[in-house]
Amino acid sequence: MYQARGEKHWFIPDGFIPPDSTGALTSHESVCVLNCSSEEALIRFTIYFEDREPMDDILLVVQGRRTKHIRTSSLTKDGASIPIGVPYAIEVLSDIPIIVQYSRLDSTQAENTLMSTMAYPIK
């Protein structure tokens, strides 16, 4: 058995799916989850907005000893997805400890920008 590593509760305060893309690359964001454990991790996302109620209980599974790169544009709740060009924040809650990283590719200009950072763990 491989032991779980990381934390169960994470936050990403600065979410924003860029509305435009130039060139061959599409602007997007990803939440990257690493599950070091032998058991699968049940992940629960909550998306917070400035001017509307959160999208909560978006469920995903990350198999044991695997990583999953989740484009935030693919997260849906009752047929609704995260709106493009709208600021939001992400809460990630897991039933076992995991590691969470956040990345954004902004290709709204010819000079592409890639930002990546660790999410904020809550102990």
Side-chain angles (χ1 to χ4, degrees), residues 3-98:
Q3 182 178 347
R5 304 240 193 282
E7 296 295 336
K8 293 182 178 182
H9 201 181
W10 298 81
F11 281 93
I12 303 164
D14 180 28
F16 183 82
I17 303 171
D20 300 310
S21 299
T22 59
L25 299 174
T26 302
S27 295
H28 68 275
E29 293 181 311
S30 292
V31 175
C32 305
V33 176
L34 173 60
N35 178 6
C36 297
S37 171
S38 296
E39 61 184 287
E40 70 180 24
L42 177 61
I43 313 292
R44 183 179 311 271
F45 286 86
T46 300
I47 310 300
Y48 295 93
F49 300 99
E50 294 178 350
D51 61 352
R52 62 189 87 182
E53 289 299 308
M55 295 170 61
D56 44 13
D57 292 325
I58 301 170
L59 301 175
L60 287 167
V61 172
V62 178
Q63 295 301 316
R65 302 193 65 217
R66 298 288 186 268
T67 184
K68 189 167 196 151
H69 294 69
I70 305 146
R71 286 217 181 172
T72 57
S73 60
S74 72
L75 297 174
T76 61
K77 180 67 177 183
D78 299 327
S81 57
I82 299 170
I84 294 173
V86 172
Y88 64 93
I90 305 167
E91 180 180 16
V92 181
L93 190 58
S94 176
D95 62 339
I96 64 171
I98 57 171

